[in-house]
Amino acid sequence: MTDNYIIAPSILSADFTKLGEEVQNVVRAGADWIHFDVMDNHYVPNLTFGPMICESLKPLTKNLRNSRGEPILIDVHLMVSPVDALAMSFAKAGADLISFHPDASLHVHRSIQSIKSQGCKVGLVFNPAQPLDVLDEVIEELDLILIMSVNPGFGGQSFIPSSLKKIERVRRRIDSCGKPIRLEVDGGIKVDNIRQVANAGADSFVAGSAIFGQPDYAKVIASMRTALD
Ligand code: DX5
Ligand code: ZN
């Protein structure tokens, strides 16, 4: 799996005065996906960006490729409630993958199906205190499971160590399900803990402040890949 790790910089920590340039620079620096944190000041106590920004960035990402020649996916992380209407708007705005929190949707199975019906990949996101029970019912429908290793709402928080055990549990569930579901982790990922998170079973890593907080994005991403090798 080592050549199949995904690094997904979160543009939450980018410089918004030059967002397009930031996206292009971080892709050139070795990003695989662009992680797009959508906050609604209701499900989480913060407010970020909506589908119009996604639509503006899509022309920049759609012709770019990562170092393995794969398309750069727009990885939308919805921290919103309700889910369905905004998920549809993001699908129309060019999102490739849309993940939502099951506790933010009244009808999780319906939300999953409606995202898939738009041709998008779909993920479920679990907060640190959120149980994994719903996976019993819907794991086979998913393309991705995203484990929050901080409480959602802000960049730059510290990784919660108990997330490692949860990642291990999700890895076992994915392996026994047998489907190629990605296991993404979000929050407090840095060069010095990414190996440990991978050892627990993650294959996709969101990093905001660790990348955009440094002047040389390529250097940070290369150090993350070295740590993963
Ligand atoms: C938090 C967001 C994260 C955040 C990660 O609610 O979902 O994607 O941007 O930021 P860092 O990597 O700085 O913890
Ligand atoms: Zn996120």
Side-chain angles (χ1 to χ4, degrees):
M1 195 198 288
T2 34
D3 59 345
N4 201 15
Y5 288 124
I6 294 291
I7 300 202
S10 164
I11 56 168
L12 184 63
S13 293
D15 181 345
F16 293 162
T17 64
K18 47 174 186 177
L19 195 51
E21 211 179 307
E22 289 277 74
V23 166
Q24 286 172 307
N25 286 343
V26 87
V27 170
R28 283 193 204 104
D32 296 300
W33 297 351
I34 295 296
H35 187 79
F36 197 98
D37 283 307
V38 183
M39 305 185 188
D40 68 350
N41 189 37
H42 170 69
Y43 180 72
V44 289
N46 200 356
L47 184 65
T48 57
F49 22 63
M52 284 169 66
I53 308 287
C54 180
E55 196 175 1
S56 312
L57 294 176
K58 182 70 178 183
L60 297 182
T61 62
K62 84 169 180 221
N63 296 319
L64 296 174
R65 293 288 178 272
N66 71 4
S67 52
R68 297 187 292 269
E70 299 157 347
I72 303 293
L73 303 192
I74 298 189
D75 170 31
V76 171
H77 174 191
L78 292 180
M79 287 161 273
V80 306
S81 183
V83 170
D84 294 356
L86 269 175
M88 288 308 96
S89 302
F90 273 98
K92 289 187 175 62
D96 298 290
L97 201 161
I98 300 178
S99 299
F100 66 95
H101 290 248
D103 45 311
S105 171
L106 275 180
H107 304 287
V108 173
H109 187 274
R110 176 181 290 151
S111 301
I112 291 172
Q113 299 309 326
S114 64
I115 290 169
K116 286 167 73 161
S117 75
Q118 299 301 304
C120 295
K121 293 181 189 297
V122 65
L124 274 189
V125 195
F126 294 87
N127 286 332
Q130 184 71 21
L132 300 169
D133 304 10
V134 68
L135 290 179
D136 290 345
E137 321 303 333
V138 298
I139 191 165
E140 301 216 334
E141 306 294 327
L142 301 176
D143 299 294
L144 176 138
I145 297 169
L146 173 51
I147 296 301
M148 293 306 297
S149 41
V150 298
N151 286 294
F154 303 94
Q157 303 180 80
S158 299
F159 184 88
I160 298 171
S162 61
S163 313
L164 290 171
K165 291 269 174 251
K166 196 170 193 178
I167 296 162
E168 288 172 8
R169 281 173 21 233
V170 176
R171 170 48 59 199
R172 287 197 289 274
R173 284 195 181 219
I174 291 174
D175 290 348
S176 63
C177 156
K179 294 210 159 186
I181 301 168
R182 286 224 161 250
L183 204 180
E184 189 174 33
V185 178
D186 186 0
I189 301 284
K190 313 275 175 212
V191 171
D192 58 11
N193 65 8
I194 196 167
R195 177 73 251 170
Q196 212 184 357
V197 178
N199 286 346
D203 55 41
S204 306
F205 308 88
V206 177
S209 51
I211 294 173
F212 288 105
Q214 296 296 320
D216 188 344
Y217 306 159
K219 192 171 162 197
V220 181
I221 295 174
S223 304
M224 287 178 164
R225 292 205 195 279
T226 304
L228 289 169
D229 272 343

